[in-house]
Amino acid sequence: MSRKIIHQKINDAFLRRALGNFAAQYPAARARAFEGEDFEALRERISAARKESLRILPEMVQRFTEHAERTGAVVHLCADAAAARDTILEIVRQKGADLLVKSKSMTSEEIRLNHHLEKAGVRCLETDLGEWIIQLAGERPSHMVMPAIHKNRDEVAALFSRETERHCAPDIPALVEVARETLRDGFLSAKVGLSGANVAVADSGAIGLVTNEGNARLVTTLPRTHIALIGIEKIVPSLAEALDIVSMLPKNATGQKITSYVSFIRGPSGDGRELHLVLLDNGRSELARHPRFQEALKCLKCGACANVCPVYETVGGHVFGHIYVGGIGLVLTPFFHGDRNARDILGLCIGCRRCNEVCAAKIDIEGLILDLRERGKKLPAQKPLMGTFMRNRTLFHAALRAAYLAQKPFQGRDGRIRHLPLVLGCDTGNRSLPPIAARPFRDLARERVAAKPLVPGERGRVLFFSGCLADFVYPELCRDVMESLEKLGYAVVFPQEQLCCGIPARYSGETGIARDMARLNTEALLAERADHVVTICPTCTMSLKRDFPELLLGDPGRHARALELAGKVVNFSELAARSIVEIEAPGEGAAVTYHDACHLRRGCGVFQEPRAVLERIAGRPVREMDGHDGCCGFGGSYAFKYPEISYEILKRKLDSIAASGADTVAVDCPGCRMQIEGGLDGAGSSVRVEHTATLVAERLRGE
Amino acid sequence: MIDRFQAAAEAAGAVVGRFPTLAEAARHVRETTGGPVAASELPDAVRKALADLRFASPQEYRDVRFGLSFATAGVAATGSLLLELSDPAGRGATALPPVNLVFLTASTIVPDLQSLSGTLYRLLASHPSSYLSLTTGPSRTADIERVLTIGVHGPKELHILILEGE
């Protein structure tokens, strides 16, 4: 994605305000819509039903076809986009029509129907207000449910004025009235109408439409021929599954309990009317057979993944997506619109996993994006260099030491780096960077003496896996971790053979390197007897716990060992929380605010433990900030690859921190610490950022 | 249940009136509409009660102000109406006029969407073709600057006439 377009979207004040307001309102509206409902149970049912239908997709198509044909509908199964377009064109021509009125259909966007029909001399008229606006503007939807969210009333008024050849004031109710009056003629005169379908029911041949404006009812009622364009993954076995989807869609899409209209249409309405059901395959059958990526077809197109995405909120759907937008748009694009269109956008995901949390069909959107990166383009020089450095501990560490010397000219008086020369190809983007430490923790660890436990009796033996950032940038944090755990009664060892967890390789699509890191680290960490392996970076935790066993699936022996290791891995706060009973903080220190690291909260499901540890061991009351679980914009190399986006996301976090009034931010991730610390320093703030382990160590040292 | 239905329907933007008898509801319709009315299929008793009303022909629907229909059921949780609209003309009567009046018999109100599924299933299976519409409030859009605006392509007003005594 070109920096110029990103820059342009970031500086589009209206877009930013529109997306920002929506992002701020959506979570509460969604929560209200789901009041009294069990979202997890509902999405679990939807996910399971979708999975089963995908497994027997050809049979589902056949069952739907049989039942639909019994109602008198004509079913057209189209293998690809061109076949679907030709079929629709043929029907329109048979009816002697030169106008097609349409209600909203993302599937018609997928096959670029309007473009092709217009070339063949058929005028397409979008009647959904948002779709009509972007049709008049010659653009594509920037959101799957709210296609024109990027357009303001002035732009709409100008488009409507041009179309109607009279002055339209930028007054929203008046503009809506213009659409009503102008589009009426289209509804009443068209011989053919086209709709999409939110769901198709196999055992009755019915389709379901979930809409608000009432245009879909006109499109499917006034023209005597109705064409419904349906992706074959939309077929569900029976009405029960359809009702689950109807119940889910509006709540998850826009926070509505139900839309104004939910219609079930079965068969043509008699009187010589025709109903054509155009079933679109377009790669779906093949995708449904893919062991990993079939999951993407569970998507209901509710758009919730965009609604909660911090990157979408920053740049909008014209950057974050292709025709399908948002997190799932990144996933679907390579399959429907080719790797060429996907290549630029797959890197835009920051990996915060908020989309996974809200996905209506429980799709592992973030995981699919990671796996898709592997298929994408790799920089020619990246692989050998990255692999050589990461696999070889001595070389990797020597390189980091060289970097320590190289950074000297750029350090400020306090040691922090505020400007980097352009030749390094990265931009600190209003943030300062901490320097690489003179001596990494792995060197300091050899010399240190264990601290005395504060309570008698050994709680267990712990291996400390520090992660690269803490090792080389925050060695004092590593010291605090070991000291805290020792004082809490653990015997702690820092295994010198530990390597990078492999996440940077996986995020760059270099699975081969990640697999080697999994193998080497598993060996290193199982070489010593231990009850726990403690991490202080939740991204490392996810790598060790979730990715290692997966990466080593091909080798049963190594897979078993990776599972053994995974069983021991625990985040610092989780382990510390187990000592709360013995160690209670005497008295209260100053309040802190807590930032939930994405991979700790959504990756590991850990968010209560650090708060308990802060309050009860470190003696620091937690004063919650707004958006405490929102991403800080770091995302590993993301902050350097897309510094502008990263900084915009960070700004929201900095505002929340300032509003909390706390003088310290606690966090359980060195990456978040670096990002937030850099942002606060850049903004001239005196608020301190510390890992929970450091605040615990301070208290246990009596500071 | 009726109270819950009314609260939910009003929250969705509908106007709800409760009538002890069909005759009183019919009088309300007559007083409200005055002119010609576009109507979908109505039970005979309703037709009879409104015998003096002029029913418009489908060609006139575009210019008619009022649409009239009779709901098969109501959903208390969401304030929704289930309308059977298999006849395209009847559908037009609920889709084109800016004001919709819908009769709903109180005893047909069910608690939630799930409890309506048996009815939906039966209605979908009983005819060779069918068009079922769950309607909740008037037509709406938030497509310009996410500002909620009532009345786009469908009705701008939805009046629900609950028949309590029937």
Side-chain angles (χ1 to χ4, degrees), chain A residues 290-444:
Chain A
H290 193 285
R292 173 66 172 137
F293 298 122
Q294 57 143 256
E295 217 191 323
L297 283 178
K298 293 196 296 183
C299 174
L300 307 185
K301 312 275 159 37
C302 70
C305 53
N307 299 351
V308 297
C309 173
V311 182
Y312 178 89
E313 184 188 341
T314 307
V315 294
H318 285 164
V319 170
F320 201 74
H322 179 58
I323 286 172
Y324 290 116
V325 304
I328 197 66
L330 269 48
V331 176
L332 293 174
T333 298
F335 300 106
F336 292 139
H337 300 107
D339 284 331
R340 195 173 52 84
N341 287 311
R343 194 182 299 149
D344 282 350
I345 57 177
L346 278 168
L348 286 167
C349 167
I350 197 167
C352 76
R353 299 173 66 84
R354 287 195 70 167
C355 49
N356 284 30
E357 210 173 35
V358 298
C359 176
K362 215 176 177 184
I363 302 170
D364 176 18
I365 300 172
E366 190 253 1
L368 290 175
I369 292 172
L370 283 186
D371 288 342
L372 280 167
R373 280 185 194 159
E374 193 195 347
R375 301 178 3 145
K377 179 186 152 203
K378 292 162 189 165
L379 295 170
Q382 179 182 313
K383 194 167 184 174
L385 200 65
M386 191 186 223
T388 309
F389 272 87
M390 290 185 57
R391 289 187 191 98
N392 187 319
R393 191 165 52 87
T394 321
L395 202 59
F396 183 55
H397 299 148
L400 280 165
R401 286 193 177 91
Y404 163 72
L405 296 172
Q407 75 190 347
K408 290 254 170 206
F410 311 114
Q411 284 175 276
R413 216 176 291 171
D414 58 357
R416 295 188 68 86
I417 300 163
R418 295 195 174 80
H419 303 284
L420 283 174
L422 282 173
V423 289
L424 293 182
C426 64
D427 176 358
T428 60
N430 302 328
R431 282 154 293 186
S432 66
L433 288 171
I436 293 169
R439 297 188 69 199
F441 184 70
R442 56 182 58 244
D443 291 356
L444 303 174

Side-chain angles (χ1 to χ4, degrees), chain B residues 61-159:
Chain B
Y61 284 1
R62 182 183 180 155
D63 304 311
V64 165
R65 182 163 160 75
F66 295 96
L68 189 62
S69 51
F70 196 98
T72 305
V75 181
T78 50
S80 310
L81 301 164
L82 173 63
L83 298 170
E84 285 177 73
L85 299 168
S86 301
D87 168 33
R91 226 144 61 216
T94 65
L96 283 166
V99 182
N100 258 227
L101 307 175
V102 186
F103 291 104
L104 172 68
T105 309
S107 60
T108 61
I109 299 174
V110 298
D112 51 28
L113 192 55
Q114 291 308 322
S115 25
L116 198 62
S117 63
T119 307
L120 289 172
Y121 207 89
R122 186 172 49 76
L123 291 174
L124 273 182
S126 58
H127 305 286
S129 71
S130 43
Y131 195 118
L132 305 178
S133 176
L134 268 170
T135 298
T136 313
S139 118
R140 63 183 60 220
T141 185
D143 273 354
I144 305 176
E145 298 192 13
R146 296 208 65 261
V147 173
L148 177 65
T149 311
I150 297 297
V152 209
H153 299 298
K156 299 174 178 183
E157 291 177 32
L158 176 70
H159 299 249

Side-chain angles (χ1 to χ4, degrees), chain A residues 81 85 88 102-116 126-128 130-135 138-144 147-148 194-196 229 280 282 284 301 318 322-325 336-337:
Chain A
R85 294 188 303 245
I88 293 166
K102 295 179 68 196
S103 61
K104 188 168 160 47
S105 158
M106 275 309 295
T107 314
S108 85
E109 300 281 351
E110 175 189 325
I111 65 170
R112 303 197 62 220
L113 181 66
N114 296 7
H115 176 75
H116 288 267
E126 295 287 354
T127 62
D128 172 85
E131 291 282 345
W132 191 46
I133 293 168
I134 59 162
Q135 183 183 34
E139 295 177 7
R140 62 177 174 83
S142 74
H143 189 285
M144 294 200 285
L194 182 131
S195 74
L229 175 62
L280 178 70
N282 204 24
R284 288 166 170 82
K301 312 275 159 37
H318 285 164
H322 179 58
I323 286 172
Y324 290 116
V325 304
F336 292 139
H337 300 107

Side-chain angles (χ1 to χ4, degrees), chain A residues 204-345:
Chain A
S204 63
I207 59 166
L209 287 171
V210 179
T211 68
N212 272 314
E213 294 185 0
N215 60 320
R217 296 169 92 224
L218 292 168
V219 161
T220 59
T221 295
L222 297 177
R224 293 180 54 83
T225 300
H226 168 202
I227 305 171
L229 175 62
I230 310 159
I232 52 174
E233 85 284 10
K234 296 269 178 69
I235 304 173
V236 297
S238 71
L239 192 67
E241 292 80 11
L243 288 179
D244 274 345
I245 290 173
V246 164
S247 172
M248 171 67 85
L249 269 176
K251 299 185 182 83
N252 225 34
T254 53
Q256 265 183 288
K257 278 230 176 253
I258 191 166
T259 51
S260 299
Y261 305 104
V262 174
S263 303
F264 286 102
I265 303 172
R266 178 167 173 265
S269 302
D271 188 23
R273 289 169 167 258
E274 291 178 25
L275 172 63
H276 294 266
L277 303 169
V278 179
L279 298 180
L280 178 70
D281 191 317
N282 204 24
R284 288 166 170 82
S285 293
E286 197 190 330
L287 182 53
R289 287 192 296 268
H290 193 285
R292 173 66 172 137
F293 298 122
Q294 57 143 256
E295 217 191 323
L297 283 178
K298 293 196 296 183
C299 174
L300 307 185
K301 312 275 159 37
C302 70
C305 53
N307 299 351
V308 297
C309 173
V311 182
Y312 178 89
E313 184 188 341
T314 307
V315 294
H318 285 164
V319 170
F320 201 74
H322 179 58
I323 286 172
Y324 290 116
V325 304
I328 197 66
L330 269 48
V331 176
L332 293 174
T333 298
F335 300 106
F336 292 139
H337 300 107
D339 284 331
R340 195 173 52 84
N341 287 311
R343 194 182 299 149
D344 282 350
I345 57 177

Side-chain angles (χ1 to χ4, degrees), chain A residues 515-535:
Chain A
R515 185 169 295 120
D516 285 348
M517 308 314 287
R519 182 173 53 78
L520 294 166
N521 274 314
T522 305
E523 282 162 19
L525 296 171
L526 288 180
E528 294 198 48
R529 179 188 68 79
D531 303 299
H532 309 285
V533 173
V534 167
T535 52

Side-chain angles (χ1 to χ4, degrees), chain A residues 14-127:
Chain A
F14 171 76
L15 178 73
R16 294 300 304 285
R17 199 174 65 241
L19 296 178
N21 288 344
F22 179 56
Q25 291 156 6
Y26 171 76
R30 179 175 176 275
R32 273 197 305 278
F34 276 111
E35 251 167 40
E37 302 256 353
D38 187 343
F39 168 71
E40 283 301 329
L42 181 59
R43 75 165 174 169
E44 198 64 64
R45 280 204 305 277
I46 289 173
S47 169
R50 268 289 213 256
K51 202 173 163 193
E52 175 58 15
S53 295
L54 289 172
R55 193 181 65 80
I56 53 163
L57 190 54
E59 193 191 320
M60 295 292 289
V61 171
Q62 199 193 342
R63 272 160 56 191
F64 176 76
T65 304
E66 272 171 29
H67 286 105
E69 283 176 345
R70 256 183 243 167
T71 68
V74 185
V75 180
H76 311 261
L77 179 59
C78 298
D80 56 25
R85 294 188 303 245
D86 291 347
T87 301
I88 293 166
L89 179 60
E90 185 58 32
I91 298 166
V92 174
R93 282 196 172 142
Q94 267 178 16
K95 299 294 146 204
D98 55 7
L99 168 68
L100 180 70
V101 281
K102 295 179 68 196
S103 61
K104 188 168 160 47
S105 158
M106 275 309 295
T107 314
S108 85
E109 300 281 351
E110 175 189 325
I111 65 170
R112 303 197 62 220
L113 181 66
N114 296 7
H115 176 75
H116 288 267
L117 288 189
E118 304 253 346
K119 266 204 318 206
V122 176
R123 190 182 150 225
C124 295
L125 181 62
E126 295 287 354
T127 62

Side-chain angles (χ1 to χ4, degrees), chain A residues 571-612:
Chain A
N571 290 290
F572 170 83
S573 286
E574 290 177 273
L575 192 64
R578 296 178 197 169
S579 311
I580 286 175
V581 183
E582 290 89 356
I583 308 275
E584 278 276 5
E588 270 198 359
V592 297
T593 192
Y594 187 73
H595 163 70
D596 286 283
C598 295
H599 287 180
L600 189 70
R601 187 179 180 105
R602 287 176 287 274
C604 305
V606 172
F607 55 94
Q608 286 163 333
E609 294 88 338
R611 290 175 167 82

